[in-house]
Amino acid sequence: MSAQTAPAQPAPDVATAEPDPAYVDLERELRILLRRAGAVATAMARRIHPGLEASAYPLLAHIADHPGVRGSELAAHFGVGRATISRQLSRLHALGLVAREVDPDDSRGQLITLTPDGEARLHAAHTGRVTSITEALEGWDRSDVATLATLLHRYSEDVVRWNANR
């Protein structure tokens, strides 16, 4: 048979294929980790300010690491819509944790930074979180902690890249 007349091979049905046990184990551990992380995120946000949502801690931390970031960049980084970020930034601004300035290169945009109060509150919460992680993993070899951080970063970057290309 020529290539033009050969019967088409059906695409593998991913839903009915037997999944690789390593990926099944990873999915389970991620599911548990995310559930537990959600509870911790709520507590972290409350440490910063009693009126914050759980999503505020990573947002504030990213702003601290990238002062002058635009809302559109935050939306892209976290994989959420601009309206979501705008609402969250409005809340953070109302609480006095972030400042917004008109972008001198594009008057339609705003540059986001932490206020001194936002910096102080984030620093205190971050220090407490690092201390908690250090205590929880005190029996771990430091190289294992570094390897875990590297692999989690790689996982996160690959999932963001995969999702963007879907």
Side-chain angles (χ1 to χ4, degrees):
M1 253 184 223
S2 73
Q4 293 175 331
T5 60
Q9 294 292 325
D13 185 358
V14 177
T16 60
E18 195 62 34
D20 183 321
Y23 292 94
V24 171
D25 291 347
L26 177 59
E27 186 282 330
R28 180 189 62 249
E29 294 305 321
L30 286 171
R31 180 175 8 104
I32 293 167
L33 177 68
L34 291 172
R35 177 67 176 120
R36 291 175 179 162
V40 170
T42 298
M44 284 302 298
R46 298 287 187 253
R47 281 185 187 172
I48 295 170
H49 192 285
L52 289 184
E53 297 174 1
S55 59
Y57 176 75
L59 185 59
L60 288 170
H62 189 81
I63 294 167
D65 291 342
H66 303 90
V69 67
R70 294 176 56 131
S72 58
E73 294 166 344
L74 290 167
H77 177 76
F78 288 105
V80 299
R82 288 183 184 182
T84 299
I85 286 295
S86 178
R87 188 184 79 253
Q88 292 173 329
L89 290 174
S90 291
R91 179 76 176 137
L92 294 173
H93 185 260
L95 293 172
L97 302 175
V98 300
R100 300 186 279 193
E101 296 178 21
V102 173
D103 185 343
D105 296 330
D106 180 358
S107 61
R108 297 170 298 167
Q110 294 181 334
L111 304 178
I112 313 300
T113 57
L114 295 183
T115 63
D117 185 42
E119 286 180 19
R121 288 172 180 264
L122 177 66
H123 177 73
H126 179 261
T127 300
R129 187 168 187 179
V130 171
T131 298
S132 297
I133 292 169
T134 302
E135 290 172 0
L137 303 181
E138 72 179 333
W140 286 42
D141 186 291
R142 190 175 180 283
S143 66
D144 288 342
V145 174
T147 298
L148 177 60
T150 298
L151 290 173
L152 286 172
H153 177 78
R154 181 177 160 195
Y155 168 82
S156 179
E157 293 295 313
D158 287 348
V159 168
V160 166
R161 186 174 25 263
W162 169 81
N163 198 35
N165 293 323
R166 290 180 66 190

